[in-house]
Amino acid sequence: MVNNRVKSLNKSATLKITALTKSLIREGKDVVNFAAGEPDFDTPDFIKAEAIKAIEQGFTKYTPSAGIPALKEAIASKLLRENNIKTESSNVLVTTGAKYALYVALLSLVEPGDEVIVPMPYWVSYPEMITLIGGEFRPLLTKKEKDFKIDINVLKKQITAKTKVIVLNYPSNPTGVTYTRQELSEIAKIVEQFNLYVISDEIYEKLIYDGRKHISFASLSGMDKRTLTVNGFSKAYSMTGWRLGYLAGPNEIISQASKIIDHTTSCAVSFSQQAAVAALENKTWAEDLCLKFQERRDLLWQGLSTLDKIKPIKSQGTFYMFCDVTPTGLSALEFADQLLKQQMVSCIPAESFGIEGYIRLSFATGNGQIKKGVARITDFLNGI
Ligand code: PMP
Ligand code: GLU
C-alpha cells in the first residue's frame, strides 16, 4: 500500500531522541539534555517584535512562493557582504527551513539513479532525502586521524560516471570540524574536473571557534556556477520553530527549483519572513551567540578531555562535540541507552550518522547543565 521509498526511510534519530528527552523533562525528570539539535536560547526579542508587528498589520497571507522581496534582497546582500557570494535576489529561494532547502536542492539536481556523495559521518537526513527522491546515496569514508575530513584521493576514487552531486556540510553536524580555504580549493578542483555540483549546507557558519573564518564554497573561483548554498535562521538566530531557510545558486537552477515550492509548500511562513529581515540587519546577536557557545565548548572539553574511557574531538564549530566511546567496550547505542537510564543524560549515538563507536553531545544547554552532565558521565564511566 505504502510507496516503497517511503517505507524504506528511517525515522530521524535526532528528532526522536530530542523529543524523548523533552518529554522526560516535561514529566519532571532531571535529565541533562546533550541530545538537543537546537540552541537553548530564546529567539531574540527584536525578531519576535517584528513578527508580532507583522501579524498585527495583517501580514498573514501567502507571499510570493520564492519569498518576500525584502528578505530575498537582505539575503542576497548578506551573501555578498559576509560570504563573498555575488548573487542577485532573483537567485535566492526562501524555504520552510534549511531542511526543505536541501530537499529542493536535491530534487532539482538529481535524476533517479544519479549518485550523490556525502562525507561520512553525516547528518541523519541526507541519506533519507536522497533515497526519497530516487537518488543513489554514496557515503564517503573519512578518518578520525584526518579530523573526519574529505581525503581528495578517496573522493576521486568514489566518483563514477553517474556521480552528480557532492553534499558538503561545514562546520559539520555531527563532528564539529570545518574546512580551510586551501582544503576547499582542493575539493573545488575535483568538482570542476568531474563536472559535478555541490550542495553546501552552511547552516552552522556563524558558530565557528578560535578565530577561524567560515569560507563559503560558492565564493571559490568558478564554484558559483556549480554550488547551491543552503542556510537558514534556526541555529544562528535560535529560530528552529519559525521554519525558515534559504537556497541560493545559479539562476538556471533556482528559476526551475522555485516551481517545486509553488506546488508543495506555496511559500514560507509570511511573518517569519518579515521577522527574518530584522535578524539579518542585526550585527551583534549571532556574534555574541558564538562567543557563548565557544565558552560552553571549552567547559565541556575541559570536563571530558581528561577522562580515560571517552575521547572527545574538540569542536571547531557547531554546538556538537563528537566523542569516541570505543574504550568503554560498549556500542554507541548501548552507551547512550545506559547513560540515559543510569545517569539521566541524553545524547545521540552516532550509528545514524553512519559510524559505529561514537556519540554526539550537544552543548546547546547552560553551563550548570554542562557541569552536571560531565559529573554524571564521569560517574557512569567509573562504573564501567
Ligand atoms: N542541516 C544541518 C546540518 C542541520 O543540523 C539542520 C538542523 N536540523 C538542518 C540542516 C536543518 O535546519 P532547519 O530546517 O531547522 O533550518
Ligand atoms: N539538526 C538538528 C540535529 O541534528 C535538529 C534535529 C534534526 O532536524 O535532525 O539534531
Side-chain angles (χ1 to χ4, degrees):
M1 176 176 73
V2 175
N3 169 291
N4 279 329
R5 279 191 212 150
V6 174
K7 264 199 278 187
S8 73
L9 293 182
N10 294 301
K11 279 193 85 78
S12 165
T14 46
L15 288 180
K16 196 167 83 189
I17 299 171
T18 304
L20 169 70
T21 307
K22 283 184 180 174
S23 80
L24 288 171
I25 292 171
R26 267 198 308 276
E27 281 167 22
K29 304 253 166 47
D30 175 24
V31 182
V32 174
N33 184 358
F34 283 156
E38 58 184 350
D40 53 313
F41 300 101
D42 197 4
T43 308
D45 286 344
F46 70 89
I47 296 177
K48 287 184 187 173
E50 286 299 314
I52 293 164
K53 196 163 84 192
I55 293 172
E56 283 173 351
Q57 289 174 347
F59 195 65
T60 54
K61 305 287 168 62
Y62 294 134
T63 74
S65 58
I68 58 172
L71 180 57
K72 291 203 301 173
E73 275 153 30
I75 291 168
S77 37
K78 179 255 183 243
L79 288 173
L80 178 62
R81 188 176 66 241
E82 295 182 359
N83 305 85
N84 197 22
I85 299 174
K86 296 172 195 68
T87 190
E88 306 288 326
S89 64
S90 53
N91 298 344
V92 172
L93 274 188
V94 177
T95 58
T96 310
K99 207 177 245 185
Y100 194 60
L102 286 162
Y103 187 73
V104 170
L106 285 163
L107 194 55
S108 304
L109 288 175
V110 179
E111 298 283 354
D114 282 349
E115 294 177 2
V116 181
I117 294 180
V118 185
M120 187 169 72
Y122 45 74
W123 175 51
V124 290
S125 291
Y126 300 134
E128 309 301 331
M129 286 189 199
I130 294 165
T131 305
L132 200 51
I133 61 161
E136 299 293 324
F137 168 61
R138 292 287 179 267
L140 177 71
L141 217 59
T142 63
K143 292 204 174 116
K144 185 187 182 190
E145 306 80 71
K146 296 206 167 170
D147 271 356
F148 292 115
K149 289 189 192 180
I150 293 175
D151 179 321
I152 293 298
N153 294 320
V154 180
L155 173 62
K156 264 195 207 158
K157 279 191 203 127
Q158 184 122 353
I159 295 169
T160 73
K162 286 187 166 175
T163 308
K164 178 93 180 270
V165 175
I166 304 178
V167 176
L168 297 179
N169 168 226
Y170 62 94
S172 154
N173 176 7
T175 63
V177 301
T178 195
Y179 286 83
T180 63
R181 180 182 291 281
Q182 178 59 32
E183 289 162 341
L184 292 170
S185 302
E186 294 296 319
I187 300 170
K189 279 187 211 153
I190 306 287
V191 169
E192 190 80 58
Q193 184 186 344
F194 291 93
N195 191 22
L196 305 175
Y197 289 90
V198 167
I199 297 174
S200 189
D201 179 351
E202 303 183 14
I203 193 158
Y204 294 98
E205 64 160 346
K206 298 269 185 203
L207 304 178
I208 186 160
Y209 309 132
D210 309 317
R212 289 182 177 82
K213 191 171 158 25
H214 178 79
I215 311 290
S216 282
F217 200 77
S219 71
L220 301 175
S221 170
M223 288 301 111
D224 53 341
K225 296 190 283 297
R226 300 185 170 276
T227 307
L228 288 175
T229 303
V230 170
N231 207 330
F233 295 84
S234 286
K235 317 290 167 171
Y237 300 98
S238 265
M239 289 172 71
T240 46
W242 298 61
R243 309 310 304 129
L244 204 61
Y246 57 91
L247 182 63
N251 188 265
E252 58 273 28
I253 304 174
I254 295 294
S255 57
Q256 298 286 335
S258 69
K259 293 183 288 188
I260 304 173
I261 311 231
D262 286 0
H263 295 297
T264 53
T265 56
S266 298
C267 63
V269 175
S270 56
F271 39 88
S272 293
Q273 293 188 58
Q274 192 63 51
V277 177
L280 291 180
E281 280 166 0
N282 180 278
K283 300 274 176 288
T284 54
W285 200 84
E287 279 170 27
D288 291 347
L289 184 75
C290 176
L291 291 177
K292 286 178 193 143
F293 274 125
Q294 183 172 307
E295 235 176 73
R296 291 165 169 198
R297 189 268 327 244
D298 291 342
L299 191 61
L300 185 59
W301 171 254
Q302 279 154 21
L304 296 181
S305 56
T306 52
L307 301 178
D308 277 344
K309 295 191 189 117
I310 190 165
K311 301 283 161 234
I313 295 167
K314 194 172 188 181
S315 329
Q316 301 170 353
T318 74
F319 39 70
Y320 305 116
M321 199 167 294
F322 208 51
C323 305
D324 179 356
V325 294
T326 49
T328 59
L330 300 172
S331 74
L333 271 175
E334 288 165 343
F335 186 102
D337 191 49
Q338 292 181 21
L339 184 64
L340 183 60
K341 287 193 181 126
Q342 293 176 25
Q343 294 286 347
M344 283 285 167
V345 175
S346 70
C347 67
I348 311 281
E351 275 89 350
S352 48
F353 305 126
I355 186 167
E356 300 283 330
Y358 287 78
I359 56 160
R360 187 192 79 179
L361 297 178
S362 158
F363 44 92
T365 186
N367 289 351
Q369 290 293 304
I370 293 176
K371 285 186 196 152
K372 197 197 264 187
V374 167
R376 290 183 185 183
I377 289 175
T378 309
D379 280 351
F380 175 70
L381 295 172
N382 287 339
I384 291 175

